Amino acid sequence: VVAHRRTIKDFRYEISGSVSYVKNEIVDLDGQEVISGVRILKEGYPIDAYYIYKADGIYQSTDEIANGTPLSVNVRPGYLKYWDKTGDGQINGDDRIITGSSIPSYNYSFNLNVGYKNLSLTAFFQGVQGINIYPTLNMIYPFNNGAGVTKEWMTDSWTPENPNARLPLLTTTTATENYVSSTFWLRDASYLRLKNVQLKYDFPETLISRLSLKRLSVFANAENLLTFSKFDHFDPEKNIQNNNLYEYPSLKTYSFGLNVTF
């Protein structure tokens, strides 16, 4: 923990923070590999690393498909293409790679306290860095469970007129070639969140003494007010092992009140 504080006449401030680094690696699994969904346990790699295909862009033409290594004969322009890791001219389970992390490399937090005379502002930030999540179901798949599509699928999916789109061709999930587990869908779930912020005013003793009070303050408080993250599908502060959206997100909470000491 590192802290710095200073007072300049009626103005005061304090900054403090901490950071921890975690490097995890499986050193002995008796030579075994344990594969569970999109994750794997293997010696020499982090716990629950991702075991998925490496996406290599989007097919733009039938010629590119003919000269490439399509996942199946159903692949057409607008579909994802995958890296033929083994170089055997076909895409199968042997072409999967180990990548990403289900455990953050860094956990950090810091506090900011600022005050001027009887007015004070305190803020607490918390975050993680170096962690990935593999979203599934409605967070990725269009028309999942009969649902509609998100705005990004309508505006950012591949079409002949939009060949540089971020998403592949819009299809149902029956076109499984686009939805095999791959790095295309893997997301950076790092985030920084303003967990708590409070603005408080302490009334002067000369005033509250007339009311036979020892202390009187009024405050406004907010929790989970701001979140900074590349992951915008859902609350990034979630159980990473849970890849779907069936989890209650963190709530923004506002409160106001008085603290009175007699």
Side-chain angles (χ1 to χ4, degrees):
V1 178
V2 177
H4 170 72
R5 64 178 62 90
R6 189 177 181 184
T7 300
I8 306 173
K9 294 184 179 180
D10 293 328
F11 177 75
R12 62 193 180 277
Y13 69 88
E14 178 181 359
I15 302 173
S16 62
S18 64
V19 59
S20 63
Y21 172 70
V22 175
K23 177 177 173 54
N24 79 91
E25 179 182 322
I26 299 174
V27 296
D28 187 5
L29 204 58
D30 197 24
Q32 299 182 73
E33 293 182 4
V34 180
I35 300 172
S36 178
V38 296
R39 294 180 174 84
I40 188 172
L41 300 176
K42 184 176 181 179
E43 294 173 1
Y45 292 91
I47 298 172
D48 282 331
Y50 292 91
Y51 190 47
I52 53 184
Y53 295 99
K54 181 180 178 181
D56 197 21
I58 297 176
Y59 283 112
Q60 298 294 328
S61 65
T62 53
D63 287 342
E64 188 178 4
I65 295 172
N67 295 320
T69 313
L71 187 64
S72 76
V73 295
N74 298 318
V75 171
R76 54 196 175 105
Y79 277 39
L80 294 180
K81 54 182 175 180
Y82 306 99
W83 179 44
D84 181 8
K85 175 184 173 183
T86 60
D88 61 1
Q90 58 181 339
I91 303 296
N92 54 38
D94 295 333
D95 294 305
R96 288 175 291 181
I97 64 171
I98 301 177
T99 186
S101 175
S102 295
I103 299 174
S105 299
Y106 294 93
N107 287 274
Y108 61 95
S109 63
F110 57 92
N111 293 277
L112 174 64
N113 300 321
V114 180
Y116 179 73
K117 294 186 177 180
N118 290 18
L119 187 66
S120 63
L121 175 70
T122 61
F124 171 64
F125 292 84
Q126 178 265 330
V128 299
Q129 189 71 33
I131 187 170
N132 301 99
I133 187 172
Y134 195 93
T136 61
L137 301 181
N138 295 66
M139 287 193 285
I140 290 296
Y141 307 146
F143 310 113
N144 187 65
N145 291 329
V149 296
T150 59
K151 180 178 181 293
E152 63 176 356
W153 274 106
M154 296 299 295
T155 59
D156 299 335
S157 59
W158 186 94
T159 65
E161 298 74 30
N162 189 23
N164 297 318
R166 187 179 65 83
L167 295 171
L169 182 70
L170 177 60
T171 65
T172 65
T173 52
T174 55
T176 56
E177 291 82 3
N178 276 339
Y179 307 108
V180 296
S181 301
S182 75
T183 55
F184 186 88
W185 303 111
L186 190 65
R187 296 288 185 264
D188 181 356
S190 303
Y191 69 87
L192 170 64
R193 171 165 281 172
L194 176 55
K195 294 290 290 182
N196 182 270
V197 60
Q198 183 180 90
L199 181 65
K200 186 177 69 168
Y201 179 76
D202 294 305
F203 288 90
E205 292 184 6
T206 53
L207 176 63
I208 63 175
S209 60
R210 301 173 187 175
L211 303 174
S212 300
L213 299 176
K214 293 182 179 179
R215 179 175 296 178
L216 174 63
S217 61
V218 59
F219 69 88
N221 190 81
E223 297 181 6
N224 302 317
L225 184 61
L226 296 172
T227 303
F228 306 93
S229 177
K230 295 179 181 179
F231 183 71
D232 57 2
H233 288 81
F234 200 68
D235 182 4
E237 189 179 3
K238 70 190 302 295
N239 177 7
I240 295 298
Q241 299 290 339
N242 183 4
N243 297 329
N244 56 48
L245 51 70
Y246 306 136
E247 182 178 324
Y248 209 71
S250 300
L251 298 177
K252 289 183 180 180
T253 305
Y254 303 91
S255 58
F256 309 87
L258 290 170
N259 284 326
V260 182
T261 303
F262 295 95

